[in-house]
């Protein structure tokens, strides 16, 4: 009898867990659409930048007003650097600072030293001490952090063949055929209107 109750509890628990396959499909579709939009739209967003900067260099034209039917829609403006003063000769300015008594003495460990020491460091399995694997010297200030714990992030890579994202093409073909409508019912913004084709990718 207790066995039946346990089975029921496990079934309820499984039913309440998210469907990882469906969540994976939703995430893959969203990623494909985001990548497609970035590839198609981003160049158009930046299309005016180089010609307008070039116009400024040649004719000092610093802005462009965009109008529709005589009504202003918006304006592009070339960003310009401001006048400023910076240190041009570090050594000479350092001497000036010393002369004025305005200097700090700062000790910073060399990054190359840290990399080398950590590269040689190992953990003594009996004592847990961190030691130099070449000299056996105890290294103060280092800490062992065990691995195997989730980082809180996941990595995505498309399935590829000869450098082409064939996985994306397969996914988008399924989306266009309507095979994913049931999975994407709760995220209608991902359902196809005019979805990118495999040739767009």
């Amino acid at each position: 009898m207790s066995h039946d109750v346990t089975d029921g509890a496990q079934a309820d628990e499984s039913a309440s867990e998210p469907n990882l396959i469906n969540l994976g499909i939703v995430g893959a579709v969203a990623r494909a659409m985001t990548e497609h939009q970035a590839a198609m739209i981003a160049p158009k967003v930046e299309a005016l930048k180089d010609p307008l900067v070039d116009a400024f260099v040649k004719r000092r034209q610093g802005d462009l007003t965009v109008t529709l039917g005589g009504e202003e829609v918006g304006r592009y403006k070339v960003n310009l650097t401001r006048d400023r003063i910076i240190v041009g000769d570090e050594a000479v300015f350092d001497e000036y600072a010393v002369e004025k008594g305005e200097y700090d003495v700062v000790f910073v460990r060399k990054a190359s030293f840290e990399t080398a020491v950590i590269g040689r460091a190992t953990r003594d399995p009996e004592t847990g001490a961190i030691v130099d694997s070449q000299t056996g010297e105890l290294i103060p200030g280092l800490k062992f952090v065990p691995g195997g714990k989730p980082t809180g992030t996941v990595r995505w890579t498309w399935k590829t063949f000869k450098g082409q994202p064939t996985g994306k093409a397969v996914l988008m073909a399924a989306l266009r055929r309507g095979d994913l409508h049931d999975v994407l019912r709760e995220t209608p913004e991902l359902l196809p209107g005019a979805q990118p084709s495999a040739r767009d990718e």
Side-chain angles (χ1 to χ4, degrees), residues 40-138:
M40 300 300 290
I41 295 172
K44 293 173 176 55
V45 171
E46 298 293 330
L48 190 69
K49 181 182 71 173
D50 290 341
L52 191 54
V53 169
D54 189 52
F56 178 80
V57 171
K58 290 178 179 175
R59 302 185 298 275
R60 303 299 289 180
Q61 178 182 345
D63 60 4
L64 175 71
T65 300
V66 178
T67 61
L68 283 176
E71 189 171 343
E72 182 174 336
V73 173
R75 181 180 305 235
Y76 290 96
K77 185 168 179 60
V78 176
N79 293 323
L80 305 176
T81 58
R82 295 182 178 182
D83 295 340
R84 59 192 178 129
I85 296 174
I86 64 170
V87 174
D89 188 321
E90 295 285 344
V92 170
F93 193 71
D94 282 347
E95 288 178 10
Y96 177 69
V98 169
E99 177 187 317
K100 296 295 185 182
E102 297 292 337
Y103 62 93
D104 289 321
V105 177
V106 180
F107 293 95
V108 179
R109 68 175 174 269
K110 294 179 180 177
S112 58
F113 169 80
E114 179 175 331
T115 300
V117 170
I118 289 178
R120 296 192 310 267
T122 188
R123 180 172 178 256
D124 186 317
E126 293 183 9
T127 64
I130 308 298
V131 298
D132 189 316
S133 61
Q134 294 179 355
T135 67
E137 177 185 10
L138 181 69

